[in-house]
Amino acid sequence: MVIRRLCAHYSQITNAVASASTGHISPIVSCNFLNSQTVKVNRQSQNSSKCQSGSATFRQSQNFSSNKSGSVSNSQSSSVSNNQPGNGSNNQSKTLCNDQDSQSLLFESSMKAEIMKHTELTRDHLTPEIQLHLVTRQCELWHSRGDNSPFVDPFWAFFWPGGQAVTRYILDNRDKFRQRTVLDVGSGCGASAIAAAQCGAKKVVANDIDAAATVAAKLNADVNLCDITVDSRNLIGSVCNQWDVIILGDMFYDSEFVSCISDWLSHYLKAGTCVLIGDPGRLMFKNHQMKSQLTKLAEYELPEQSRLENNGLNTAGVWMLEVGS
């Protein structure tokens, strides 16, 4: 089954970071990501796509399009040969930009169709106010072999426990997010970002390095009548915006990565950013030295379906990370 294959994949990478009592493995996000794409999600402006550098969609779009490789270089060569001297560079750039736009739109359209085909809209989770396209036990993909999946490791297709908890916290504390700028890192299906938007946040960015996840988040935002921004660049380590709130759900699974993200968050903590973490209590989260900086804000019992999907985990909590001494 797909979900078992995903867990097995992480058990190899993270050396079984979960406790023996649960066997749960959490989603992973790499610190090293070279490709990027930013897509503005706006229900009123579906045609606002812009050229971005290093599109992460090219690699994945090969699974969904019949375009031959080299189409960009062919059109580029044709453009250059037909241009007058002095204008070649500008026209070449325009051609490349148009090709990237076309590839991006094709990928997004194809991925959206695949997501709708292989998932179902469900409210069977800790935040029933939000409908999400997820792979459930009613979906054929749940029961199929992993190599039959049209997606590469679709972690965005599952609503993990930490994400459920922090999303529940957002909906229960609307005033803390109203008119705030919010960054949801490792956003997956986009639930936490959607919740922040529903609470009246001024700006919400759902950030995930999987370009398929950004399409899923966009689709889920549309279903819930929310306007958010999705971004597939690796923002960890970069300081390019000032956020009022940074959200991280199910991101603490590996000691090296925890250290990486902790160093990055320290800048925002000193600037007064509120950092919220959702986690079911994984060993790497509980045993890391940053635990002395955590204040527990809430704990929630997971619904039955979530317990079944996560090997019997019963609860998940929300913590606030504070400046270390």
Side-chain angles (χ1 to χ4, degrees), residues 7-8 10-20 23-25 253 283-284:
C7 290
Y10 276 126
S11 67
Q12 295 174 2
I13 295 178
T14 63
N15 295 321
V17 299
S19 63
H24 181 71
I25 303 296
Y253 50 83
L283 290 179
M284 289 301 174

Side-chain angles (χ1 to χ4, degrees), residues 2 11 22 37-38 72 105 109 160 187 199 271 294 306 309:
V2 168
S11 67
T22 64
Q37 180 192 32
T38 304
V72 173
L105 291 173
S109 176
W160 302 91
S187 53
C199 292
L294 296 172
S306 297
E309 292 176 1

Side-chain angles (χ1 to χ4, degrees), residues 17 67 98 106 215 261 276:
V17 299
N67 289 347
N98 290 335
L106 176 62
V215 178
I261 204 168
L276 298 178

Side-chain angles (χ1 to χ4, degrees), residues 15-323:
N15 295 321
V17 299
S19 63
S21 61
T22 64
H24 181 71
I25 303 296
S26 67
I28 186 170
V29 176
S30 171
C31 286
N32 299 313
F33 182 70
L34 300 180
N35 296 326
S36 64
Q37 180 192 32
T38 304
V39 182
K40 176 64 179 179
V41 180
N42 190 316
R43 292 183 292 105
Q44 307 299 327
S45 306
Q46 294 296 330
N47 298 320
S48 59
S49 175
K50 294 185 178 179
C51 177
Q52 302 294 334
S53 63
S55 174
T57 66
F58 294 164
R59 169 175 53 85
Q60 299 191 41
S61 64
Q62 298 302 318
N63 296 327
F64 301 100
S65 69
S66 59
N67 289 347
K68 302 298 184 181
S69 61
S71 60
V72 173
S73 60
N74 289 338
S75 59
Q76 173 185 338
S77 299
S78 175
S79 173
V80 173
S81 63
N82 292 330
N83 287 326
Q84 297 298 322
N87 294 328
S89 178
N90 290 337
N91 287 322
Q92 176 181 341
S93 297
K94 290 179 181 178
T95 300
L96 289 173
C97 185
N98 290 335
D99 285 333
Q100 288 182 356
D101 281 344
S102 297
Q103 291 256 7
S104 178
L105 291 173
L106 176 62
F107 168 78
E108 184 174 345
S109 176
S110 300
M111 180 60 73
K112 180 178 178 180
E114 291 292 335
I115 291 172
M116 295 179 70
K117 176 181 178 181
H118 293 283
T119 64
E120 72 165 351
L121 271 176
T122 178
R123 298 180 185 269
D124 190 8
H125 43 73
L126 199 56
T127 55
E129 299 95 321
I130 300 174
Q131 293 189 87
L132 297 170
H133 283 275
L134 301 174
V135 171
T136 70
R137 292 176 182 270
Q138 285 68 49
C139 299
E140 182 179 348
L141 188 59
W142 177 284
H143 305 281
S144 69
R145 292 171 53 89
D147 51 10
N148 293 331
S149 172
F151 311 113
V152 179
D153 294 335
F155 296 101
W156 50 266
F158 303 94
F159 198 4
W160 302 91
Q164 291 196 43
V166 74
T167 303
R168 180 73 266 162
Y169 180 82
I170 293 169
L171 293 172
D172 290 344
N173 296 272
R174 293 175 175 267
D175 289 343
K176 296 182 179 181
F177 302 91
R178 188 173 290 115
Q179 291 301 307
R180 300 292 195 271
T181 56
V182 180
L183 174 64
D184 181 11
V185 180
S187 53
C189 65
S192 296
I194 291 168
Q198 289 182 338
C199 292
K202 180 168 58 177
K203 177 182 179 181
V204 182
V205 173
N207 172 233
D208 199 299
I209 63 172
D210 184 351
T214 65
V215 178
K218 175 178 180 177
L219 182 60
N220 288 328
D222 289 344
V223 168
N224 291 279
L225 305 180
C226 291
D227 291 335
I228 65 173
T229 299
V230 293
D231 191 331
S232 63
R233 293 175 297 173
N234 180 18
L235 300 183
I236 296 175
S238 65
V239 180
C240 55
N241 285 292
Q242 181 57 54
W243 303 100
D244 295 319
V245 182
I246 294 178
I247 300 167
L248 304 105
D250 301 287
M251 294 285 285
F252 296 84
Y253 50 83
D254 173 81
S255 59
E256 183 178 350
F257 180 71
V258 172
S259 297
C260 171
I261 204 168
S262 298
D263 292 342
W264 173 64
L265 290 172
S266 64
H267 165 84
Y268 289 102
L269 290 173
K270 293 174 182 177
T273 299
C274 175
V275 176
L276 298 178
I277 298 170
D279 196 274
R282 296 182 181 87
L283 290 179
M284 289 301 174
F285 177 69
K286 295 195 302 182
N287 296 338
H288 194 270
Q289 60 185 11
M290 64 175 283
K291 66 181 180 181
S292 62
Q293 299 174 239
L294 296 172
T295 298
K296 194 169 188 177
L297 301 178
E299 185 169 1
Y300 302 96
E301 289 190 7
L302 296 171
E304 181 180 1
Q305 181 64 29
S306 297
R307 294 197 297 269
L308 291 173
E309 292 176 1
N310 292 279
N311 300 309
L313 283 174
N314 294 319
T315 64
V318 179
W319 286 262
M320 181 171 64
L321 183 64
E322 300 179 299
V323 179

